[in-house]
Amino acid sequence: MLASLTPSSLLLASGLTLHLWDHDCLLHATCPALLYLDPVLCLVSVTVMVASAYSDLVQNGSLLLQAVPPCVDLLGLKQGLNSLCGPGGHHELHVWALAPDQAVASFHLYCTGPEAYQDLLAQAQPLLNRHGVKVFTVQPEFGVSGASGSCTLSCGPACTGHLCCDPREPKIGS
């Protein structure tokens, strides 16, 4: 509040000083300090306004860039997810701030079935809350856990033609 009142107060002080001072002194430049009063107070006002807006600029910039909020321990969150579902049990973890006080996360979770997904989701919620993430989206992937570069969808031969990869292809890197 002080930062928003300062420029107006300085403007009023400058105007009042120049109005109340002897006009002959200003016209004949016998008081050089008064000649620089208005520009100096104007520069002080601009400095106060820029300094007060800097923190908002940084905060809004990190929101626009979808940076990891400073309140979230990303390394601790990754380690917690690794201990919960194994190092290959999740991927695509993204954490960003939706608002200055609201962290959001999304990740993919490998599961053997819907029951396992519900169990892992119930265990993941307190973990995410402990690390400052209150809102999250978990994308389940049913099938083989952590099979990088291969199909992880277990739907059988009936849907083989609809997959993005051929399940008969050898795994990449093997």
Side-chain angles (χ1 to χ4, degrees), residues 6 17 25 27 31 34 38 60 63 65 71 78 82 86 91 95 99 112-113 129 143 145-146 151 160 165-166 170 173:
T6 302
T17 303
C25 178
L27 290 175
C31 305
L34 287 177
D38 190 44
N60 291 333
L63 285 176
L65 294 173
C71 63
K78 284 181 182 180
N82 285 343
H91 66 103
V95 180
T112 56
N129 288 339
S145 174
C151 287
T160 303
C165 58
D166 186 3

Side-chain angles (χ1 to χ4, degrees), residues 2-26:
L2 183 62
S4 63
L5 291 176
T6 302
S8 300
S9 301
L10 291 174
L11 175 69
L12 287 173
S14 173
L16 187 61
T17 303
L18 292 175
H19 179 71
L20 295 177
W21 207 262
D22 185 17
H23 292 287
D24 290 333
C25 178
L26 293 173

Side-chain angles (χ1 to χ4, degrees), residues 88-112:
H90 67 90
H91 66 103
E92 301 292 330
L93 174 63
H94 301 282
V95 180
W96 68 97
L98 189 60
D101 58 346
Q102 186 177 19
V104 179
S106 70
F107 61 95
H108 294 214
L109 184 65
Y110 292 113
C111 303
T112 56

Side-chain angles (χ1 to χ4, degrees), residues 109-115 140-145 147 150-160 162-165 167:
L109 184 65
Y110 292 113
C111 303
T112 56
E115 296 83 19
E141 294 184 6
F142 302 112
V144 181
S145 174
S150 66
C151 287
T152 58
L153 186 64
S154 59
C155 64
C159 64
T160 303
H162 302 287
L163 295 176
C164 62
C165 58

Side-chain angles (χ1 to χ4, degrees), residues 99-142:
D101 58 346
Q102 186 177 19
V104 179
S106 70
F107 61 95
H108 294 214
L109 184 65
Y110 292 113
C111 303
T112 56
E115 296 83 19
Y117 169 68
Q118 291 299 326
D119 292 340
L120 286 172
L121 189 60
Q123 295 171 7
Q125 183 172 6
L127 172 73
L128 290 161
N129 288 339
R130 273 195 313 273
H131 289 282
V133 178
K134 304 296 183 213
V135 179
F136 58 92
T137 302
V138 180
Q139 173 67 44
E141 294 184 6
F142 302 112

Side-chain angles (χ1 to χ4, degrees), residues 28-92:
H28 300 297
T30 57
C31 305
L34 287 177
L35 292 176
Y36 297 108
L37 179 68
D38 190 44
V40 167
L41 290 179
C42 180
L43 288 174
V44 170
S45 297
V46 169
T47 304
V48 167
M49 286 190 290
V50 168
S52 66
Y54 179 75
S55 64
D56 290 338
L57 183 66
V58 169
Q59 186 178 45
N60 291 333
S62 70
L63 285 176
L64 288 172
L65 294 173
Q66 294 184 347
V68 176
C71 63
V72 175
D73 177 21
L74 189 60
L75 184 60
L77 179 59
K78 284 181 182 180
Q79 290 172 349
L81 285 172
N82 285 343
S83 68
L84 178 67
C85 54
H90 67 90
H91 66 103
E92 301 292 330

